[in-house]
Amino acid sequence: MILEAVDRVCAAASRWARIETLAETAAGPVRALWFGTGEPTLLVVAGVHGLEEIGTHVALAYLQSLLAQLPWDDVLAHTLTQARIVVVPALNPVGLSQRRRGNHAGVDLMRNAPVHPLTTAAPFLGGQRLSPRLPWFGGYAAMEPEARGLVELVDRILAQAPFALALDLHSGYGWADRLWFPYARTKQPIPQLAEVYALRGLLDATLANHVYIVEPTALGYTIAGDLWDHIYDQAYARGKLLVPLTLEMGSWSWVRKNPLQLFSRRGHFNPVVPHRLRRTLRRHGPLLDFLLRATVAHSSWSRIRPIERARLDRLARDEWYP
Ligand SMILES: [Zn+2]
């Protein structure tokens, strides 16, 4: 059971990490594990959608490799004096335990933020506020405890840090692995588009053969009440740079290679065959490593002079907002 695996890793991490409870749920607490003493922060989130347990597997694999390195790796120890790593391996324990997308109230946490007035969401898939019996339910009004817990966690991180990078692990859309950044609610660019473009350039140069398609979420489909849009806007209003990336692992190729998966709901969202699971767990290690380095060195690529900013902004608009 996946939540037992989360418990085991949290117990093993308690020697190295500060463990904080973000919310209580019927299936146990939502926990955040804090490593390091620096300011800039890499935040890794998983298990927002309970059916997409592969994300939690990837987060646990990352935690396990951190725990294996901490006793001996001086480079990592030094890095953690310059930065922090915060991991939330299971934001939606009820969804994970019941193998459903939403939380106990049937709310899709990724559509549960206050809806921005300028939203142009896709019908239905982009979130609906009619009934928890229908999919993509964003809740009636208030934010759910799990979503609020994540919003407040980022608040606390940014109270101490000028910069944070978040990676939220999902699966189930498309053939390729996508890295999505806000906005989800509209096909208009975020104000800090040049910074995201600079980070993408760094990724392309550093991991030259990487597999990721980097693009705004709204190029896939637009969403009302997107949690990362909301968190991004709040961070921007405070004068911070938060780059929230959603890794949407393309699950269609797992299904194509093993069509029997189509007969289980879980099979739509997760690699079921063991060697494919192992391959998925290996696949994203270099990305996490890169994101940590980019977090430590954020001022080297995110402090952009005005002329350069205008150039990057133009290139980004040409590519992503034609
Ligand atoms: Zn998802």
Side-chain angles (χ1 to χ4, degrees):
M1 235 318 273
I2 188 117
L3 291 180
E4 286 155 16
V6 173
D7 285 345
R8 275 196 302 277
V9 173
C10 287
S14 61
R15 194 177 145 209
W16 302 98
R18 181 164 70 78
I19 300 182
E20 182 186 49
T21 296
L22 305 184
E24 294 288 352
T25 77
V30 178
R31 281 164 297 197
L33 289 73
W34 294 65
F35 298 86
T37 53
E39 286 184 343
T41 302
L42 172 63
L43 169 64
V44 178
V45 178
V48 173
H49 292 137
L51 272 169
E52 301 163 18
E53 59 186 64
I54 182 63
T56 292
H57 283 296
V58 171
L60 292 179
Y62 182 55
L63 281 169
Q64 275 159 337
S65 81
L66 284 180
L67 296 179
Q69 287 174 81
L70 280 163
W72 63 269
D73 185 345
D74 291 344
V75 176
L76 178 62
H78 178 71
T79 299
L80 288 174
T81 65
Q82 311 293 306
R84 279 182 311 211
I85 303 172
V86 180
V87 184
V88 181
L91 188 75
N92 178 7
V94 171
L96 285 162
S97 72
Q98 297 181 1
R99 292 192 167 149
R100 58 187 224 178
R101 184 177 173 91
N103 72 349
H104 70 285
V107 174
D108 182 334
L109 298 173
M110 212 22 81
R111 287 159 181 60
N112 181 228
V115 177
H116 193 278
L118 297 180
T119 295
T120 51
F124 225 59
L125 169 73
Q128 50 88 11
R129 305 250 162 174
L130 304 171
S131 165
R133 290 162 193 258
L134 302 170
W136 304 295
F137 178 55
Y140 291 117
M143 276 174 99
E144 295 295 310
E146 301 90 338
R148 213 168 43 235
L150 183 62
V151 170
E152 290 166 2
L153 172 69
V154 177
D155 261 0
R156 284 194 295 282
I157 288 171
L158 290 177
Q160 302 164 50
F163 175 87
L165 222 164
L167 185 68
D168 182 15
L169 301 159
H170 288 252
S171 65
Y173 178 86
W175 296 104
D177 290 343
R178 287 185 155 72
L179 285 171
W180 275 339
F181 62 87
Y183 288 123
R185 65 170 179 256
T186 169
K187 288 184 178 151
Q188 294 299 313
I190 53 171
Q192 292 150 315
L193 187 65
E195 283 82 351
V196 174
Y197 197 78
L199 180 64
R200 206 280 301 268
L202 209 60
L203 172 69
D204 288 352
T206 310
L207 302 180
N209 298 300
H210 74 76
V211 295
Y212 307 102
I213 298 172
V214 182
E215 61 187 20
T217 311
L219 277 195
Y221 46 86
T222 41
I223 296 171
D226 184 88
L227 198 50
W228 286 115
D229 276 15
H230 176 70
I231 293 171
Y232 172 81
D233 281 342
Q234 287 203 328
Y236 179 69
R238 291 169 70 183
K240 309 283 184 170
L241 175 57
L242 166 72
V243 181
L245 299 172
T246 296
L247 171 57
E248 189 72 40
M249 290 176 256
S251 63
W252 298 354
S253 64
W254 303 327
V255 175
R256 186 188 55 191
K257 289 175 189 155
N258 184 29
L260 284 176
Q261 286 184 211
L262 274 176
F263 292 101
S264 81
R265 251 174 93 57
R266 241 183 107 229
H268 285 264
F269 296 96
N270 300 284
V272 172
V273 181
H275 75 263
R276 212 157 282 135
L277 171 62
R278 279 201 306 278
R279 196 180 301 154
T280 306
L281 296 183
R282 276 200 304 273
R283 186 178 173 93
H284 304 294
L287 175 68
L288 284 157
D289 193 45
F290 165 78
L291 293 178
L292 180 58
R293 287 159 193 263
T295 300
V296 174
H298 67 98
S299 47
S300 72
W301 57 268
S302 73
R303 286 200 188 139
I304 306 170
R305 280 168 310 172
I307 294 175
E308 178 66 355
R309 166 179 303 280
R311 189 183 74 87
L312 293 176
D313 194 72
R314 206 164 47 241
L315 289 170
R317 282 168 190 265
D318 286 350
E319 178 174 341
W320 288 320
Y321 304 93

